[in-house]
Amino acid sequence: RRPPRSTLFPYTTLFRSVETISFRIRNLFYSFDLGIKSPITGVGLGNYYTNLPIQKINNPSDDVSSQLAVASQNPHNIFAQILAETGFLSLFFYIFMLCYFLISDIKNIRLKKFNDYSKAFIISFWTLFIYSLFNPVLGLTYNMLFWMLRALI
């Protein structure tokens, strides 16, 4: 016998507000506005949430609230996060670096300079990057994987 829906998904209404497409689009606009307000330096690393026009969640007290707080504190896009927190200059350098990595990977794959392990690392690196376009990338885990995979290539 299946338990009632409220037992299986007691926080669906809370998560629904965070996971909607409109939430992500709204945060992209907030990020762009923050980048315009402080174009050179941004608002500072980790200060995205404190500079939003409206803070969505105050003082998370339980696990679900803390998960929602983390989800709402990030624009869910690496480009938007870099723009808002570190400004246009850092965004330019990040895009430049990614273009260099992409051109280098394509050139070396065409020249067949990579073995199977290196190809797996390249695929993993770009998969992780695509993940960062749609999900929060807070914390050490993402950054450690990003640079570790790049170093292994």
Side-chain angles (χ1 to χ4, degrees):
R1 193 176 143 190
R2 201 170 82 178
R5 183 173 173 84
S6 61
T7 305
L8 276 176
F9 304 105
Y11 302 107
T12 50
T13 56
L14 292 175
F15 283 112
R16 195 174 306 141
S17 67
V18 173
E19 295 177 337
T20 62
I21 293 173
S22 63
F23 168 82
R24 291 169 190 254
I25 292 171
R26 188 171 51 250
N27 275 347
L28 288 174
F29 284 113
Y30 288 153
S31 296
F32 187 74
D33 289 342
L34 291 175
I36 294 294
K37 287 179 186 174
S38 188
I40 303 296
T41 61
V43 295
L45 291 174
N47 291 326
Y48 174 80
Y49 181 73
T50 56
N51 287 282
L52 287 177
I54 300 171
Q55 272 97 28
K56 295 165 197 65
I57 297 169
N58 296 322
N59 300 326
S61 60
D62 61 358
D63 287 339
V64 172
S65 294
S66 64
Q67 289 173 357
L68 288 171
V70 168
S72 67
Q73 291 176 14
N74 195 285
H76 289 72
N77 182 293
I78 190 69
F79 293 121
Q81 182 178 354
I82 290 172
L83 172 62
E85 293 184 351
T86 60
F88 282 102
L89 189 61
S90 295
L91 180 63
F92 169 76
F93 284 120
Y94 186 75
I95 292 171
F96 179 78
M97 178 185 64
L98 286 174
C99 289
Y100 173 77
F101 290 158
L102 183 64
I103 291 168
S104 172
D105 290 347
I106 290 171
K107 185 172 106 180
N108 288 328
I109 286 174
R110 283 187 180 165
L111 295 175
K112 298 182 180 179
K113 287 187 175 182
F114 289 126
N115 60 24
D116 290 337
Y117 290 114
S118 295
K119 289 178 186 175
F121 292 139
I122 289 172
I123 292 168
S124 298
F125 174 81
W126 289 108
T127 302
L128 184 66
F129 170 72
I130 291 169
Y131 168 85
S132 73
L133 293 176
F134 304 103
N135 295 290
V137 290
L138 294 173
L140 187 60
T141 306
Y142 169 81
N143 290 309
M144 200 168 64
L145 273 173
F146 184 85
W147 292 110
M148 182 184 68
L149 285 170
R150 198 66 231 174
L152 289 171
I153 294 172

